[in-house]
Amino acid sequence: MTHSFGTTPKADNPARDITLANGILTLTLSGVWRLDRPFPPLAPVKDALATSPAPRKLVFAATAVTGWDSRFLADCRAVLVLARERGVEVEVSGLPEGAASLLDLAAKVPERQGAARKTSHAAFLESMGDLGLGFAQGVVNLLEFLGEVTLACLALLRGRAVFQRSNLVTLIYQAGVEALPIVSLISLLVGLILAFVGAIQLSQFGAQIYVSTIVGIAMVRVMGAIMTGIIMAGRTGAAYAAELGTMQVNEEIDALKTFGFSPTQFLVLPRMIALVLMLPLLCVYADLMGILGGFIVGVFMLHINPIQYLTHTWQSVPLANFWIGLVHSTVFGVLVAMAGCYRGMRCGRSALAVGQAATSAVVTGILAIIIATAIITVACNIIGV
């Protein structure tokens, strides 16, 4: 008795005719079995294997197959899996020679244990333990880096630090002159915004002249330093992390250690010097650009006399605010440089790790700037400055 579970091929599309006779299930394949063609469904094969009595053997007849690719192998492999699940013997000799040999090879090589990706969820206590261990290891790494930087600074004071002076000049230029355009734009806009916010309230009382006081004190005391520090964290800190991370990937840092050079002295120290020297200067420049932004609003929109505006700014901004701003900027220079260099020196050895190091450097630098600002502000309030 013969049963037919077939499909009629159209043109040269793949087709699978299924016949069951004397306990032998025959799959007659024809057409071009390639990815760009619609494959017949496997449901008829499942139905044929599920008939009662079940077939003893499954054979292929593929003399009419005129072309095939990897998807044909995947389809045949799926048929083999269905047959073996039901204990049906399979004969692949009727397939094209290359396909038959590949399927035999796949059947002879067992799947490696643990190769499949598994999704697992750690217990809550285990997750908390991992977080605690990771935090402790991060603290140890940070303290180790701080120790290395301290030793490098001591070597610099003794005149024994080893690094390229020409490289220091390049780093100073990159951290200073090349940062002027973005610092100019951001500081000018911040000054404009502060002046607008102050003018909205002060104009109600006819006290527009005090816009100069608001802008001057805010920019000189803290805003100029904060905005410059954040700009340098996003611009220079990320660049330091990416540069050192790439050197870590290329094993250049390992080469320095092999030749007896201290990577901290050779790579980290000049970058710290460059930022510590340039950030206070950029802060003073940002103060001037912010005051210029307030000057534009006060003179051209509030119609304040230019000389009066500048004179009132000079008289209302104490010199102590200027020094507080310089202290802020110097501390920010150290923090941004250390954040960028620390993330770069602790970078993994892959392109993904370099990107993560650059991102972490920016986040760490900005967070350190905010925390340092809070601490310095509280300290100034305590000593009455």
Side-chain angles (χ1 to χ4, degrees), residues 47-370:
D47 295 339
L49 290 171
T51 57
S52 182
R56 296 179 292 100
K57 188 176 183 180
L58 185 148
V59 298
F60 291 92
T63 55
V65 173
T66 56
W68 57 276
D69 59 12
S70 58
R71 189 179 172 189
F72 174 67
L73 293 175
D75 189 87
C76 294
R77 176 72 175 168
V79 172
L80 297 182
V81 171
L82 290 174
R84 285 166 184 165
E85 287 176 352
R86 290 165 172 79
V88 178
E89 180 186 355
V90 180
E91 182 180 332
V92 298
S93 59
L95 291 172
E97 182 178 354
S101 60
L102 287 173
L103 289 173
D104 283 337
L105 181 62
K108 291 177 182 177
V109 179
E111 181 179 357
R112 183 165 58 92
Q113 295 296 323
R117 181 172 301 187
K118 297 180 180 178
T119 302
S120 61
H121 300 282
F124 175 75
L125 292 178
E126 182 180 352
S127 300
M128 296 302 296
D130 291 339
L131 288 175
L133 291 175
F135 178 77
Q137 186 60 47
V139 172
V140 171
N141 292 338
L142 179 59
L143 292 177
E144 181 182 353
F145 179 75
L146 291 176
E148 294 173 353
V149 170
T150 303
L151 293 176
C153 292
L154 293 176
L156 176 66
L157 295 177
R158 294 196 303 265
R160 297 181 180 179
V162 180
F163 59 88
Q164 290 180 312
R165 269 59 180 178
S166 59
N167 188 35
L168 175 60
V169 175
T170 302
L171 291 170
I172 289 175
Y173 178 82
Q174 292 174 346
V177 177
E178 292 185 357
L180 287 177
I182 184 64
V183 171
S184 301
L185 177 62
I186 298 300
S187 302
L188 183 66
L189 292 177
V190 169
L192 288 169
I193 293 169
L194 289 174
F196 271 120
V197 172
I200 292 173
Q201 297 299 323
L202 295 175
S203 60
Q204 299 178 12
F205 307 99
Q208 294 92 329
I209 187 62
Y210 289 102
V211 168
S212 62
T213 303
I214 294 175
V215 175
I217 293 178
M219 290 300 302
V220 172
R221 187 178 180 93
V222 67
M223 285 302 296
I226 288 182
M227 296 310 302
T228 305
I230 291 176
I231 292 169
M232 298 307 288
R235 179 188 177 277
T236 307
Y240 287 173
E243 289 171 4
L244 298 181
T246 303
M247 295 179 73
Q248 189 76 264
V249 173
N250 295 335
E251 299 183 354
E252 297 176 48
I253 294 178
D254 293 337
L256 287 174
K257 294 178 181 178
T258 302
F259 283 108
F261 293 102
S262 169
T264 306
Q265 291 184 18
F266 200 84
L267 300 174
V268 176
L269 191 59
R271 286 168 169 80
M272 288 189 61
I273 294 173
L275 266 186
V276 171
L277 290 177
M278 287 295 103
L279 223 152
L281 297 178
L282 289 172
C283 175
V284 174
Y285 179 75
D287 295 342
L288 296 176
M289 294 303 297
I291 292 173
L292 176 60
F295 177 84
I296 293 172
V297 174
V299 172
F300 295 99
M301 297 185 180
L302 301 179
H303 307 292
I304 301 174
N305 183 275
I307 302 300
Q308 184 183 8
Y309 185 95
L310 295 176
T311 302
H312 196 271
T313 300
W314 178 264
Q315 294 175 348
S316 60
V317 180
L319 188 60
N321 291 331
F322 175 77
W323 293 112
I324 292 173
L326 286 184
V327 170
H328 276 90
S329 60
T330 304
V331 173
F332 295 165
V334 175
L335 294 176
V336 170
M338 291 188 64
C341 294
Y342 171 72
R343 294 301 181 182
M345 295 292 286
R346 301 295 174 181
C347 175
R349 299 181 183 272
S350 66
L352 176 61
V354 173
Q356 292 174 341
T359 303
S360 299
V362 176
V363 174
T364 305
I366 294 176
L367 182 62
I369 287 171
I370 301 303

